[in-house]
Amino acid sequence: MAQRTEIKTTFEIDKVIQPFYSGGGVALGQDGRTLATCLGEDVVLTDLTIGHQLLRIDGDGEPLTAISVTPDGSHLITCSRSLTVRIYLLQPSDDAIVAELQRTLKPHNTPTITTAVDRTSTLFAVGAADGAIKVFDIRGGYTTHTFHGHSGVISALHFFEVENDGLDRKSQNSKKRKKRRSNGETMDIDDPKEEATAGFRLASGGEDGKIRIWDLHQRKSIAVLDSHVSVVRGLHFSDKENALVSGSRDKTVMLWDAKNWKLKSTIPVLESIESVGFVREGAFIYTGGENGCVRLWSTMSGTELTAEQEVTGENEAILDVIQSGSHPFLLSVHADQSLRLHSLAPLDEAVSEGTIPPLPTIRRISGTHDEVIDLAYVGMEKSFLALATNLEELRIISLAPQPRSPHINGIPKSLSNPADNSYFGADVSSLRGHTDIIITLDTDWSGHWLATGAKDNTVRLWRLDPTQESYTCYATFSGHAESIGAVALPHHTPPLDSGLYKRPLDSPPKFLLTGSQDKTIKRWDIPVESNTTAVDGAIKVARAAYTRKAHDKDINALDANPNSTLFASASQDRTVKIWDIEAGETIGILRGHKRGVWTARFSPLGTPSISGESGATTSASRGYVVTGSGDKTVRIWSLTDYSCLRTFEGHTNSVLKVLWLPTPTAEAEIGAHGRSRRGPQVASAAGDGLVKIWDVQEGELATTLDNHTDRVWALAVKPGRTTTTKPLPQSDSTDDTSIHDPESTTTTTSPTVLLSAGADGVLTFWHDTSTTTLSHALARSAARLEADQTLQNLIRARAFGDAVALALQLDHPARLLQLFTDAAAQNEGASLTGAQAVDDMLARLEGEQLWKLLLRVREWNTSARRAGVAQRVLNAVVKLVPVERMVRLRPARGWGKGKGGRKEGVREVVDGLRAYSERHLERVERMREEGFLVGYTLQQMDEGMGVDGLDGLRGLTGSENTGRSVNGESKDVEMVD
């Protein structure tokens, strides 16, 4: 009878959204796609157009201070606080990049602060904290220039080139010439190499406020520009304007004439500048600084072109602005570890004296989501995600499939059209309104209405329409005296044919539940917009339908049941209370946790009856509640009598979030295979960084998911969908019956997706692969049964060669041993194993099968009873398998492990075979000696009784060894060899 295949719960990582920038240097390749960012001590290379991580380079244990990518994208240069500079060769490989470390340098005795690469990707300069500057050849790795002059940290570097004619006539006239005598005449000629490098310059700015211009040809400083009174943060040169622009933290931008290095103009920008540069061939100047805005200025008049912009907070200050080649966008780097792409399209219609609107942000990219406190799927199709990330703003990101970004004239299309920015993990919007950190959120059944609670003691209800890119605050609720700890919206799904279901955006939820650190619970009736007056676009609600003193300590969680008749509140006072939503009265209290309760969730509709630990089954009519607590346990409660049915222990830290997993449908759960469906399950996330799946009916752990390095705060689940597709009729078919044939339809079931996120900023999407795992297990079981039957048929047919090969493949050691034993009994002529077919099979063995056979032989060789077969097989292997094949035998990963998981190779196997073979040889020698002793004793006994000694000896050693009488008894004696 076939073995029953058990349903095993399995989840696998499908996608991961993880941090790629945590502060520090940022570099963008000239292709506008390759983005290099610092992530602690590591460097991450990302495809900017699709958000795909191309490469991650591990650091040396110290934070990075600066990074650069050469214009041709061939090299990456990293500088670390360990004083080392590393140069990597970048080579594209399919959808990734391979980095090869070329060399490691230590140019300074103090940390390198800033770097610059020239346009030819030949030279790079590093500026240190001690004011020294060194220029290196990238490919050669040697120092070409060393400059000293600044009295403090080098804060800015920039390579540029100037024309030789008319730029520095004194230097031009005093140029060194070489003399050469030819045909008795003397000629003055210029050195072509010196002529080629005569225009190369390096501009450096320091914290002393000075700018120095270095002539790389003459290897000296040719100008000192001393007008700034604070740190110089930005330098850029325009060939067309023949001018250098500088920006400083003294809140000024200065324009310098490269002909005589005199100050042309000063622009008071009234903000501390962190980056400055030219755009559109020097016609305009961009600046970025502490106000968090990219501003544009006219180079000719020095007036600001962009309209007045709102000053942002300190955490959104601009740290750097990068332009990549001639691409029509600027990349700004902000203090909140976010990057923003700004379109330069408004400059197409700009004039020197006019005003243009601020540069539109075509994409916002979050380098890290920091600590994800709570999250929820939003949108009718659950294709967007709302994140509460330890900030005052709420982030909306896209979960659209990963696209391939086309290029138009070499420019990524997705960077020029905001509508094409929908790639997986892309930032879609940022909802602002709260004045303190958002710590809780909840959505209604449709995903179009989202409630957020923050430490500013207020709750906001948001109306989300991702398809129209509309994200507005519908209403605000104020009345709590302390921080909001929990919010809940009704989750009841209206009838499919109702207007509420068809037009969810026109029908806000009926009520909102809030819980606070002030230990009270409030129910708010959400007004309809047509019946109220909105202020600043949002309805102000200041009076709750009712307020209840709910708990003795902070309220951590609220949840409404699927019918919107009950709600649960979880508190630090170690209790969970069940309330009637309409009356606002307590109808039950769940007691049993030994520490504060962090989370509570009602079971979904259709949850089957659950039996308690005693085996008694409780009614499922009123449902169940799952809770997680600081006592590290998860509990299942019955709402019939408010008793605890199950207690799950396994986490090593506080359980912070729990939820019920969707119960699979009969079609999705291998119902066609005749097996019972999987029972209800709950997922729990804890401070130990683990997510655990619990089988409620069995009362045991189903599986553990591990992909986080810090506490997991948030869980969300996206149920799988079953889609039925009917084939289209063929136009040239006169009798198409496939449409009416039920078997011609195709049913596709998408897996359930479990999402976990936490303090490490990583969002992990787990796909439920239980169905696939079971299908594969059933397929493997069927294939194994078929192979077992084939093996039995081969054994009955005495086809030893094929039978041995199949037994090796199926890993049946007992049958394999019996086959070799039966083959030895065949004794076919000169066969080493007894059967020529087995000899031929052994001669063809290689790789994993040969390795398995050697392991089996070593195992058999440890037993005296099976040593004979082992030695016969080993003799055949040694003689039939070429030595070259044995030498090349390398155990592959997964089948080269010995006992205890130790890695072993051919040497270890041969040592094991030799050790036991020597033991068997010693045993045989002892038996041989004992046999001679017995024979000698019997011979002496025969001679002592008058028996002919020679005949007695012949009887002992020959074939005529029977019938000899000793003391009147017949003795059979033979020599043991």
Side-chain angles (χ1 to χ4, degrees), residues 263-324:
L263 182 63
K264 292 179 63 176
S265 62
T266 300
I267 304 174
V269 297
L270 304 180
E271 69 166 322
S272 180
I273 295 299
E274 296 295 326
S275 183
V276 66
F278 289 105
V279 291
R280 297 296 171 90
E281 297 183 342
F284 306 100
I285 298 173
Y286 67 81
T287 61
E290 61 182 353
N291 290 345
C293 307
V294 176
R295 304 163 68 184
L296 293 176
W297 309 79
S298 170
T299 304
M300 181 181 301
S301 62
T303 58
E304 183 175 4
L305 298 179
T306 48
E308 185 176 356
Q309 304 177 57
E310 181 182 357
V311 177
T312 61
E314 181 180 353
N315 62 333
E316 294 189 40
I318 291 179
L319 304 180
D320 195 8
V321 179
I322 304 171
Q323 61 172 327
S324 175

Side-chain angles (χ1 to χ4, degrees), residues 788-837:
D788 287 343
Q789 184 62 48
T790 302
L791 178 60
Q792 294 179 12
N793 295 337
L794 292 174
I795 293 175
R796 292 192 189 96
R798 306 188 71 78
F800 292 107
D802 295 337
V804 168
L806 187 55
L808 264 176
Q809 179 181 348
L810 297 177
D811 199 15
H812 286 180
R815 287 183 176 177
L816 186 63
L817 177 63
Q818 187 61 44
L819 285 170
F820 279 122
T821 303
D822 295 344
Q826 298 297 308
N827 197 19
E828 296 180 0
S831 173
L832 297 175
T833 60
Q836 188 60 41

Side-chain angles (χ1 to χ4, degrees), residues 712-727:
V712 181
W713 283 109
L715 286 177
V717 65
K718 181 180 180 181
R721 284 193 168 189
T722 301
T723 305
T724 302
T725 305
K726 294 183 178 181

Side-chain angles (χ1 to χ4, degrees), residues 346-536:
L347 291 179
D348 295 337
E349 300 179 0
V351 294
S352 60
E353 298 296 335
T355 301
I356 61 174
L359 298 182
T361 301
I362 59 177
R363 181 181 298 178
R364 175 192 166 113
I365 307 167
S366 296
T368 174
H369 292 301
D370 196 21
E371 186 168 0
V372 180
I373 302 175
D374 206 355
L375 54 80
Y377 284 99
V378 296
M380 202 66 174
E381 301 296 328
K382 303 296 185 290
S383 56
F384 295 86
L385 199 64
L387 301 177
T389 60
N390 209 19
L391 294 172
E392 300 86 354
E393 64 183 33
L394 186 74
R395 293 178 179 175
I396 307 295
I397 65 174
S398 171
L399 301 181
Q402 201 94 326
R404 291 296 175 192
S405 177
H407 281 61
I408 300 177
N409 297 327
I411 300 175
K413 180 182 176 182
S414 62
L415 296 184
S416 58
N417 185 359
D420 295 333
N421 292 344
S422 183
Y423 64 88
F424 187 85
D427 288 57
V428 175
S429 182
S430 177
L431 309 185
R432 303 173 185 269
H434 286 288
T435 58
D436 209 336
I437 296 174
I438 299 173
I439 57 178
T440 181
L441 55 85
D442 192 26
T443 60
D444 72 335
W445 66 272
S446 68
H448 286 297
W449 296 92
L450 173 72
T452 57
K455 288 186 176 181
D456 58 6
N457 306 348
T458 66
V459 176
R460 287 178 174 262
L461 180 66
W462 306 85
R463 182 181 182 274
L464 310 179
D465 187 5
T467 58
Q468 301 298 323
E469 298 184 2
S470 173
Y471 309 92
T472 57
C473 181
Y474 179 82
T476 61
F477 306 84
S478 58
H480 282 288
E482 294 189 42
S483 300
I484 307 299
V487 296
L489 289 172
H491 302 145
H492 176 66
T493 304
L496 300 181
D497 57 351
S498 65
L500 295 177
Y501 185 87
K502 295 178 179 178
R503 296 180 299 276
L505 287 169
D506 299 334
S507 306
K510 292 184 178 181
F511 63 86
L512 168 67
L513 300 170
T514 61
S516 169
Q517 290 183 2
D518 61 12
K519 308 175 187 60
T520 65
I521 290 175
K522 293 178 182 287
R523 168 180 165 156
W524 311 80
D525 291 332
I526 300 175
V528 179
E529 192 171 14
S530 59
N531 299 333
T532 57
T533 302
V535 180
D536 296 332

Side-chain angles (χ1 to χ4, degrees), residues 528-562:
V528 179
E529 192 171 14
S530 59
N531 299 333
T532 57
T533 302
V535 180
D536 296 332
I539 301 172
K540 306 293 183 181
V541 182
R543 185 178 181 84
Y546 60 73
T547 302
R548 300 289 185 266
K549 173 68 167 61
H551 291 274
D552 296 330
K553 291 186 179 181
D554 297 353
I555 298 173
N556 294 328
L558 293 173
D559 188 46
N561 74 338

